Amino acid sequence: MQQQLLSESEIIELKPWLDRWVERMEKPDYIDDDPVLFMHAFEGKLDRELAGFFAALMAWGRRDIVIAKVRDLLKRMGHRPAEFIGNFSERDRRRFEGFKHRTFKPVDIYWLTMILHNILQEYGGFEPFWKECHREANRTDRNLLAVFHERFFETCPDAARRTRKHISNSEKNSSCKRLYLYLRWTIRKCSPVDPGTMTFMAPSELMLPLDVHAARQARVLGLLERTYNDWKATRELTSKMRLLDPDDPAKYDYALFGIGVTETGPGDERILNPQFL
């Protein structure tokens, strides 16, 4: 249900309530049932970032199914994603035979792995590639994820065209939900959930990962006017959350998730009652 759009002052009045939802949801026990767990499953920085990248790309549908599919993929990589991808060659392609998740097929996993292999060979890591994309985005006044999409596939021009749909592009008006989910995991610092392994950009630059659930709750609360879950909606909602915390707007993804789980509103006193925390 679409509520009347809130004014800036009314949005600011919601801050204490939304902050309590962030505190309620952003706790270590959130990790076990969320794909972010794969960034906590490894000790090495590169292992965490590569496992997390696939987990974010595949974060589509029920979380338990997503987790099962990512586990399957990492098992095929010998539970050593950095080593497997760094040494990947054509003969390893057979490991992906039979893999499927939503619209992901073995051919997509093959090309994504091959592209990541090329990136590691050229940049020596994943974060240096992101850093270069960020630098170019600032220099050309383009969105980071548009540059990332372009540069990602430039590393392997022969990649199947069908695989391009798995890497979002804001210039195609995609909400870029899964890539901003990944960036939330890797960029936010001092979080009990998000590991914060990268430093190439500030948390203040993050956009909210706009999935259908967050968008629905944002509209119910009067935080989002746009009816489509696209790049324009992502920008609109993030701009509202920056009113509440310009240094860390993406943390309110936790609040919208929590509100969606319980279907409660700002007038519901359950959030104030310790027995519900």
Side-chain angles (χ1 to χ4, degrees), residues 32-223:
D32 291 342
D33 298 317
D34 189 84
V36 73
L37 71 88
F38 294 102
M39 287 203 69
H40 292 270
F42 299 92
E43 294 184 2
K45 170 181 164 67
L46 188 54
D47 277 322
R48 300 173 88 185
E49 290 169 358
L50 294 173
F53 187 66
F54 277 107
L57 291 187
M58 293 167 60
W60 182 10
R62 283 174 41 186
R63 292 194 297 168
D64 60 333
I65 294 176
V66 172
I67 289 169
K69 291 295 184 176
V70 178
R71 281 203 175 108
D72 178 13
L73 179 59
L74 292 174
K75 181 179 180 180
R76 292 164 186 259
M77 294 183 178
H79 300 291
R80 297 174 180 269
E83 180 180 322
F84 179 83
I85 295 171
N87 296 320
F88 187 72
S89 65
E90 188 66 30
R91 68 177 180 274
D92 298 313
R93 184 172 189 161
R94 57 185 171 78
R95 296 209 183 194
F96 302 139
E97 291 176 1
F99 183 86
K100 190 177 187 305
H101 174 59
R102 294 285 183 153
T103 61
F104 285 91
K105 293 185 178 181
V107 63
D108 300 310
I109 303 300
Y110 166 76
W111 283 115
L112 291 170
T113 303
M114 182 60 76
I115 290 169
L116 289 169
H117 168 80
N118 290 347
I119 288 172
L120 297 186
Q121 293 297 306
E122 182 175 353
Y123 291 87
F126 200 23
E127 182 172 8
F129 177 74
W130 278 99
K131 185 175 182 179
E132 179 60 28
C133 293
H134 185 255
R135 184 183 296 114
E136 181 178 334
N138 288 337
R139 179 177 58 81
T140 58
D141 195 28
R142 295 173 66 195
N143 177 260
L144 168 62
L145 296 188
V147 174
F148 180 84
H149 177 95
E150 184 175 276
R151 295 289 298 270
F152 189 83
F153 288 102
E154 280 179 355
T155 67
C156 201
D158 296 333
R161 291 198 63 81
R162 57 160 288 122
T163 304
R164 290 177 175 267
K165 67 186 176 185
H166 295 298
I167 303 294
S168 304
N169 184 349
S170 58
E171 290 181 346
K172 298 293 186 181
N173 204 28
S174 167
S175 70
C176 299
K177 171 255 179 179
R178 285 173 282 175
L179 287 178
Y180 271 114
L181 178 64
Y182 179 67
L183 289 175
R184 195 200 80 196
W185 293 347
T186 57
I187 296 297
R188 291 188 70 241
K189 304 295 186 288
C190 304
S191 167
V193 177
D194 300 323
T197 60
M198 296 185 180
T199 61
F200 73 90
M201 66 183 281
S204 60
E205 298 179 61
L206 290 172
M207 309 291 276
L208 263 74
L210 187 72
D211 63 13
V212 293
H213 307 292
R216 181 175 64 246
Q217 296 309 317
R219 292 187 184 101
V220 168
L221 292 170
L223 295 170

